[in-house]
Amino acid sequence: MKLPAFDYAAPQTLAEAIELLVANEDALPLSGGQSLIPILAFRLAAPSLLVDLRRIPGLDTITLSERGIGLGARVRWCDIEADQRLATAHPLLADAVTYIAHYPIRSRGTVGGSIAHADTAAELPGIAVTCDAEITAVGRNGARTIAAKDFFTGPMMTSLAHDELVTELRLPPWPAARCWAFEEFARQHGAFALAGIALYYDVRDGVAANVHIGVIGASAQLQRIAEAEAVLNGRAVDDAAILQTAQAAAAAIDPADDIDAPAAYRRALVETLTARALKRAASRPR
Amino acid sequence: MQTKFNVNGKTHAVDVEPRLTLVDCLRYTLGLTGTHVGCEHGVCGACTVIIDGKPARACLMLAVQADGANIETVESLADGDTLAPLQASFRRHHALQCGFCTPGMLMTAHALLSTEPDCDENRIREALSGNLCRCTGYIGIVEAVLEARAAYKAPKRGGTP
C-alpha cells in the first residue's frame, strides 16, 4: 500500500532532532527505514512527522576499546560485516549479523533502528540482551545509559521515552578464549527467526563459567534463560550437560502459539538449537 | 518538498510529497519505469537499485531520503541497444521468463559483482536470496551471474598468462 501522509525533517544535530520529537507528540524517528517503512506501508503507524537521523554527525562509528565495542546508532549491518576487527573482537556479533535479512536490506538497516524497533525475533536485540549490553539514549533531559535487560520491555516495546533517541549500543569486552555460538531457524535464509539461540561461556578449571544463553523469536520477552544457564554453570560441557541445558531452556521459555508456528514447535526448536549451539561452541577451535 | 539527486549520471531536482517512495518517484515522477515495483514492503526485491554503491530496496526508502544520493537503476546497464555483459549473460542462460523480477536481480547482481568479482556460487545465492523469482527456479540466474563475473574482473596487464 502507499504510505500515509506525513511531514519530514532531516535535522543537522541531535539536539534539533530531539526538539522536533518534543514538539510533535506523533513524530517518529527514521533511521534506515527497513522496518519503519513497511510498517507505514501496512498503515500500522500514522506519524505526523518523520525525523530522519541521516544527517546527524557522529552516530556511524564502530569503536573498539578496553570498555568493549561501541556501535553507533546509524552503523549499518554492512558496516559491521565489513569491519574485519569484529571477527575477533566480537565473533558472536559478527556471526549473528549474517543472519539479518538480505543483502540489499543490510546496506540500509541500522543498529539504532533495530534496537529501538525491539522485535523479539531480531538478532541484534537478542545479542544485546545475551551479552548484557548497555544502550545509550539521549533526550531532552540529557543522556542516560540503560541495561539491555531493562531496555526491552516487551514485543516492540522499550523503555525509551518519546523524546529519546538511541545513540549507541555498547557490548562488554570479549575474551579471546570465550566459547560461543549463534543458531537460528527460519523458513528461508534471511526470514524472521522462528527461534534463535545466542550463547557463550568461559572455561575455568575445565568447567563452564559465566554462562549466558539468550533466546530470540520463541519468547514474548527478549531474555536470557537463567534456568538453562544455571544447569550448565560449573559443569563440563559434555553430552549429558548439553542435553540437560537444552531441555531446561525449552522448559523455561513461554513461546507464542501463532500463525507461523505452534508453541510446541518453537519449544522443540529451542531445545534443538540450544543443543546444537552448545556442541558448536564446545567443538570450535580456539 | 524539494529534493535533488543523481540518477544514472544525471541530476534530477524534484518536488515530491515526503511519503513518496523512491521507486514511485523513479517510475512516476521521472518516468524511469525500468525499476519495477512489486510487493511495496521490502520482500520481493523487484525494486532494488544501487544507492551510493550499495544495493537497496527503492520501496523501503523515501524519495526525500535520497537527497544528495547517487542512484543507479537498470537503465544504466545497457549502452543503447547493446546489452551489458551481465544482461547478455542473463539472456544466454534463460535467466528470465516473465521478466518482472529481472531489474532487481540485475541490480543486486551488479552491486555484488562490482564489489566482489571473485565471489563464489554460495555468495551469489546468498546475495540473491532477497530477490524473488517465480518463473525460473533461479538456476539460470545463478549461472548467468557466475558467467558475468569475468566482465567485472580488472583486465589483465602485460603478456603473462
Side-chain angles (χ1 to χ4, degrees), chain A residues 125-144:
Chain A
I127 295 297
V129 169
T130 304
C131 297
D132 301 331
E134 289 179 337
I135 291 141
T136 304
V138 179
R140 74 177 109 180
N141 296 322
R144 67 183 177 120

Side-chain angles (χ1 to χ4, degrees), chain A residues 42-284:
Chain A
F42 283 120
R43 305 251 174 154
L44 296 172
S48 58
L49 169 72
L50 289 188
V51 180
D52 191 345
L53 310 179
R54 70 190 167 92
R55 290 202 173 109
I56 298 170
L59 296 181
D60 54 359
T61 53
I62 301 175
T63 53
L64 271 58
S65 70
E66 71 285 351
R67 291 178 55 229
I69 292 117
L71 301 172
R74 236 183 36 247
V75 167
R76 302 167 299 174
W77 308 126
C78 63
D79 300 324
I80 295 176
E81 287 181 291
D83 194 323
Q84 301 296 326
R85 301 172 301 170
L86 292 173
T88 48
H90 209 296
L92 177 60
L93 169 71
D95 190 42
V97 165
T98 67
Y99 289 84
I100 298 175
H102 301 284
Y103 175 48
I105 305 272
R106 291 203 297 269
S107 49
R108 299 280 308 163
T110 66
V111 164
S114 175
I115 292 294
H117 184 53
D119 193 317
T120 54
E123 288 81 2
L124 189 69
I127 295 297
V129 169
T130 304
C131 297
D132 301 331
E134 289 179 337
I135 291 141
T136 304
V138 179
R140 74 177 109 180
N141 296 322
R144 67 183 177 120
T145 301
I146 310 154
K149 69 177 168 56
D150 302 322
F151 182 87
F152 300 104
T153 55
M156 307 206 180
M157 286 185 284
T158 71
S159 56
L160 280 179
H162 170 71
D163 62 290
E164 284 183 312
L165 290 166
V166 173
T167 54
E168 188 183 58
L169 174 71
R170 181 162 292 279
L171 296 160
W174 183 272
R178 182 166 276 173
C179 299
W180 64 275
F182 184 81
E183 291 284 340
E184 173 176 312
F185 185 83
R187 287 215 179 82
Q188 302 92 22
H189 176 76
F192 283 104
L194 291 181
I197 292 288
L199 61 81
Y200 68 82
Y201 57 87
D202 299 317
V203 177
R204 290 179 200 145
D205 303 325
V207 297
N210 192 29
V211 178
H212 283 56
I213 302 176
V215 61
I216 63 168
S219 170
Q221 180 71 34
L222 283 157
Q223 59 186 354
R224 285 169 53 189
I225 312 175
E227 296 87 341
E229 294 173 354
V231 170
L232 193 61
N233 266 320
R235 287 181 68 177
V237 184
D238 55 20
D239 287 351
I242 288 173
L243 179 65
Q244 286 165 24
T245 305
Q247 288 172 338
I253 57 156
D254 184 18
D257 209 3
D258 63 23
I259 190 169
D260 294 315
Y265 184 74
R266 283 199 162 91
R267 200 182 291 282
L269 277 177
V270 165
E271 181 174 335
T272 301
L273 294 173
T274 304
R276 212 177 269 174
L278 285 170
K279 280 179 193 153
R280 189 183 292 256
S283 63
R284 187 180 276 120

Side-chain angles (χ1 to χ4, degrees), chain B residues 128-150:
Chain B
L128 292 177
S129 67
N131 290 68
L132 299 183
C133 172
R134 301 289 78 157
C135 301
T136 64
Y138 302 99
I139 290 172
I141 295 171
V142 173
E143 285 174 351
V145 178
L146 277 167
E147 185 186 286
R149 288 178 304 180

Side-chain angles (χ1 to χ4, degrees), chain A residues 1-6 8 30-31 34 37-38 41-42 50 52 54-55 78 102-108 189, chain B residues 1 18-19 21 24 40-42 54-57 59-62 64-65 67 108 111-112 123 126-127 129-130:
Chain A
M1 229 188 303
K2 304 302 176 194
L3 312 186
F6 45 76
Y8 172 88
L30 171 66
S31 187
Q34 302 301 285
I37 303 288
F42 283 120
L50 289 188
D52 191 345
R54 70 190 167 92
R55 290 202 173 109
C78 63
H102 301 284
Y103 175 48
I105 305 272
R106 291 203 297 269
S107 49
R108 299 280 308 163
H189 176 76
Chain B
M1 176 170 250
R19 66 167 165 168
T21 59
D24 283 347
E40 294 191 302
H41 66 280
K54 302 254 184 212
R57 304 279 204 244
C59 76
L60 293 191
M61 191 166 171
L62 307 172
V64 290
Q65 281 180 285
D67 190 49
T108 302
L112 176 69
R123 174 65 177 139
E126 197 276 326
S129 67

